[in-house]
Amino acid sequence: MNKLILELWHDLRAKRLWPVAALLVAALVAVPVMLKKNSSTPPAPTPPAASASSAGDNSKAVVVADTGTAQGSTLGVFNKKDPFKPDKAVLSAAHPKPTPAPKSSSPSAPAGGNTPSGGNGSGSGSGSGNGGGVPVTPQPTKPQAPKGPFAYTVDVKFGKRGETRVHHDVQKLDVLPNQNNPLLVFLGVNMAGDTAVFLTDTSLKAAGEGTCKPGGDTCSFLYLKLDKNSNTEDLSEVAADGSGTEYTLTLLAIHKVPVSELAKGAKKAAAAARAEARRAHIEKHKSPTAFHVPLSAQLTPDTVG
């Protein structure tokens, strides 16, 4: 063992490394000594807190931090699904709601009818109407435009001369005067929406203000306008025994309504038509007559609804 240490020492001297070896040996001895010395040194005593009785002394007060009021993390205010979504408080602060203007109130007259002192009533009107906020004028709400699709209905007056009756909301393909005695069929209106088109029975002859196509003797399609000079047509029917009946048709109004409203009143209109047909059948005591369509007529009137 001594031989090994001696050879190591000679080797370090030959290579001029003996100072490094000496420093390492000194460090190995000094480190344990220093650690032992630090552990044996007692900690410095904590100065006692200032008592309440020494509050008036010139010594400095000791401030102790209150750990009970410490707040935790505020990450809980964010949305778990979208943490980048602004909080409601931030949105309300960025977009505040407008405050309504206070209503103006006229000053009440003093009790007993006495005027304020010092002016003998001369300045009573100087401040009238100026107090309170500016009155807000309510804006009129615009009616919502109905949604399509649309269809046309008409109001007409039809019947025998001197016995005409008003028919409201006549829809497309409705018959007049009733299903028991069909003489006219409403086909719709033209593109401009100001002319109603009717399909007439072949037994009728037209003579009036309306327009007949192909002609007056064979009036397959009857056109009536809302103009006072073109809204009435006289129709005559000649029976097989030579007796004749005169009818009068007058166009009163054209309505453009949504199809949804027509569907709501379809059942009611059908029930009214059946009741009218039964009433006419009971009064006349005759079987229903068929509607005769002219075979030579071109059934393509200019109608849209």
Side-chain angles (χ1 to χ4, degrees):
M1 182 66 180
N2 294 333
K3 185 178 179 180
L4 179 61
I5 295 174
L6 185 61
E7 289 179 358
L8 181 60
W9 173 251
H10 287 298
D11 190 27
L12 290 174
R13 288 186 62 186
K15 293 182 180 180
R16 297 179 180 180
L17 294 176
W18 63 271
V20 177
L23 289 175
L24 290 175
V25 172
L28 289 174
V29 175
V31 168
V33 174
M34 294 298 294
L35 291 176
K36 184 177 180 181
K37 184 179 180 181
N38 292 337
S39 61
S40 62
T41 303
T46 304
S51 61
S53 61
S54 61
D57 298 339
N58 295 330
S59 60
K60 296 182 179 181
V62 179
V63 179
V64 180
D66 186 7
T67 60
T69 59
Q71 296 181 356
S73 175
T74 58
L75 295 178
V77 299
F78 296 99
N79 193 345
K80 295 181 180 180
K81 295 183 180 180
D82 187 5
F84 298 99
K85 184 178 180 180
D87 191 29
K88 294 182 179 180
V90 178
L91 292 176
S92 60
H95 305 283
K97 296 182 179 180
T99 306
K103 297 181 179 180
S104 60
S105 59
S106 58
S108 59
N114 297 327
T115 58
S117 61
N120 295 330
S122 59
S124 59
S126 59
S128 62
N130 296 328
V134 180
V136 180
T137 305
Q139 298 294 335
T141 57
K142 295 182 179 180
Q144 202 171 18
K147 298 181 180 180
F150 297 95
Y152 289 91
T153 63
V154 294
D155 297 340
V156 297
K157 184 186 292 185
F158 180 71
K160 295 180 181 180
R161 187 183 296 273
E163 300 178 5
T164 57
R165 297 181 58 187
V166 178
H167 300 263
H168 295 281
D169 299 327
V170 179
Q171 301 182 18
K172 189 175 182 179
L173 301 181
D174 284 352
V175 296
L176 295 173
N178 50 62
Q179 297 179 356
N180 193 52
N181 184 27
L183 296 177
L184 299 174
V185 179
F186 174 57
L187 298 181
V189 300
N190 64 344
M191 298 294 293
D194 61 350
T195 303
V197 185
F198 298 89
L199 179 65
T200 63
D201 190 90
T202 54
S203 62
L204 297 178
K205 304 295 182 181
E209 302 170 352
T211 302
C212 280
K213 291 183 180 180
D217 294 336
T218 307
C219 187
S220 300
F221 301 107
L222 175 62
Y223 296 81
L224 294 179
K225 295 184 177 181
L226 290 175
D227 186 9
K228 293 182 179 180
N229 298 325
S230 305
N231 66 338
T232 303
E233 185 72 14
D234 295 328
L235 303 170
S236 59
E237 179 185 19
V238 179
D241 56 357
S243 61
T245 306
E246 293 184 354
Y247 298 90
T248 301
L249 174 64
T250 303
L251 179 64
L252 301 179
I254 297 178
H255 307 288
K256 183 179 180 181
V257 296
V259 176
S260 58
E261 293 186 7
L262 293 181
K264 293 178 181 179
K267 293 183 179 180
K268 184 177 180 181
R274 288 193 297 267
E276 177 67 19
R278 286 194 299 268
R279 186 190 65 82
H281 177 64
I282 293 173
E283 289 180 357
K284 296 183 180 180
H285 299 285
K286 65 178 183 179
S287 59
T289 59
F291 185 85
H292 302 88
V293 179
L295 299 178
S296 61
Q298 185 180 2
L299 300 178
T300 55
D302 182 17
T303 58
V304 295

